[in-house]
Amino acid sequence: NNKYGMGTAASRAAANTDYYTRGQYIPGIRVNGMDVLAVRQAIAFGRQRAIAGEGPMVIEMKTYRYGGHSMSDPGTTYRTREEIQHMRSTSDPITGYKHRLLDNGVASEDDLKAIDKQAKKFVDEELAKAKAEPEPQAHELWDDVYVKGAEVPYLRGRVPEETHHY
């Protein structure tokens, strides 16, 4: 739940924006999706609940989308730039987690800079590998969608001619 649909606030588009309550008989919780540790705990809780045989759970992650949905949605026609900047400066998950690590003495600024540098290097290396690979063939789009033996009889494409039968 990032508070906005394509061009409108969720509160203007839904009678009930407490999405975690909309599972009817399926229990649900709301989580601050901008808090890395809260998300981790909620997922661990939901996973443990499922493993224990207690059934599914609706987990609503309250987040904030900084940008628009697409090139045709700048994301500023239905909210102000000040709102976006305020959310980014006060609630950004990466910045918030960084501050927690620093404030609790888990890592130093230099440690975090080194981790960031290492991550960027890894991404650059993997991107170079991916770019060096040949483009996949169109028929490969249907590969590995399902675990072997668990496939559905067919997958529908955009038009009937694109339907793939397993």
Side-chain angles (χ1 to χ4, degrees):
N1 174 8
N2 64 27
K3 302 181 185 179
Y4 293 95
M6 180 75 169
T8 191
S11 61
R12 292 181 56 205
N16 178 8
T17 58
D18 291 332
Y19 299 115
Y20 72 101
T21 66
R22 292 171 58 173
Q24 296 173 343
Y25 59 89
I26 299 173
I29 58 173
R30 177 184 283 153
V31 180
N32 179 356
M34 303 295 273
D35 180 335
V36 174
L37 297 179
V39 169
R40 183 178 187 276
Q41 285 299 112
I43 296 303
F45 176 74
R47 179 180 182 272
Q48 190 56 45
R49 182 179 151 64
I51 289 170
E54 297 174 23
M57 169 175 246
V58 175
I59 302 176
E60 177 187 3
M61 298 288 176
K62 293 281 283 194
T63 64
Y64 190 84
R65 177 176 45 80
Y66 298 134
H69 274 104
S70 65
M71 295 292 284
S72 64
D73 173 22
T76 54
T77 56
Y78 46 90
R79 58 194 178 161
T80 65
R81 291 184 190 280
E82 290 77 22
E83 174 189 330
I84 298 166
Q85 188 55 44
H86 172 74
M87 290 300 293
R88 181 171 273 149
S89 66
T90 62
S91 301
D92 185 77
I94 295 171
T95 304
Y97 190 59
K98 176 184 172 183
H99 288 307
R100 277 186 170 168
L101 293 172
L102 292 169
D103 293 347
N104 290 296
V106 175
S108 69
E109 193 71 50
D110 288 339
D111 294 334
L112 296 178
K113 284 179 185 175
I115 291 168
D116 193 45
K117 186 176 179 181
Q118 180 184 6
K120 286 177 182 175
K121 181 178 183 259
F122 175 77
V123 169
D124 289 344
E125 289 169 356
E126 294 302 310
L127 178 61
K129 285 183 202 174
K131 284 183 174 182
E133 290 290 320
E135 286 284 327
Q137 299 295 310
H139 68 84
E140 292 181 76
L141 291 172
W142 306 104
D143 293 350
D144 304 317
V145 175
Y146 291 96
V147 173
K148 296 237 183 279
E151 299 94 345
V152 294
Y154 64 90
L155 277 178
R156 193 171 48 110
R158 294 171 299 162
V159 293
E161 296 79 40
E162 290 180 352
T163 299
H164 176 77
H165 295 273
Y166 284 95

